[in-house]
Amino acid sequence: MSALKIKKGDLVKVIAGKDKDKEGKVLVVNKKAGTVIVEGINMLTKHTKPSAQNQQGGIVNQEGPIDVSNVMLVVNGKATRVGFKVENGKKVRVAKATGEVID
């Protein structure tokens, strides 16, 4: 499988779906499923039973997964596509809009 262009901690913008044009920080990346969980995006309501961790139980709001193809990396306040380049023998991500190295 090819390398994912989005990493944990990145700021991303949603480009499709019910939360289109919202921005948030990536909390979890699932490479196998090709999904990401973004802070405050795709909020789901989950009904939980009382347990040792959550003695009250009840209704919990939490973020749901969103496909990687539906988010774009934000660099300097601008959504951009991501490419790869080898610099000093190391593979780095590059913003297509500006050409600058991301990490």
Side-chain angles (χ1 to χ4, degrees), residues 41-103:
I41 306 293
N42 194 23
M43 295 303 286
L44 306 174
T45 334
K46 186 172 180 181
H47 298 261
T48 58
K49 281 185 169 181
S51 66
Q53 289 90 9
N54 183 10
Q55 277 135 6
Q56 188 67 32
I59 299 170
V60 178
N61 285 322
Q62 66 183 35
E63 292 92 353
I66 182 169
D67 200 84
V68 172
S69 65
N70 294 335
V71 296
M72 261 181 127
L73 186 66
V74 175
V75 179
N76 298 335
K78 188 175 182 184
T80 180
R81 292 179 295 145
V82 179
F84 290 101
K85 184 162 64 172
V86 177
E87 268 190 9
N88 303 329
K90 197 168 185 185
K91 188 177 178 182
V92 292
R93 295 187 298 167
V94 177
K96 292 277 189 172
T98 59
E100 67 179 90
V101 175
I102 298 165
D103 43 39

Side-chain angles (χ1 to χ4, degrees), residues 6-14 19 21-29 35-44 61-66 71:
I6 306 292
K7 292 182 179 179
K8 181 179 176 180
D10 284 347
L11 183 66
V12 293
K13 181 177 186 175
V14 180
D19 292 322
D21 293 329
K22 289 185 181 175
E23 290 186 8
K25 193 173 96 175
V26 175
L27 302 174
V28 178
V29 176
T35 59
V36 292
I37 294 180
V38 183
E39 195 174 37
I41 306 293
N42 194 23
M43 295 303 286
L44 306 174
N61 285 322
Q62 66 183 35
E63 292 92 353
I66 182 169
V71 296

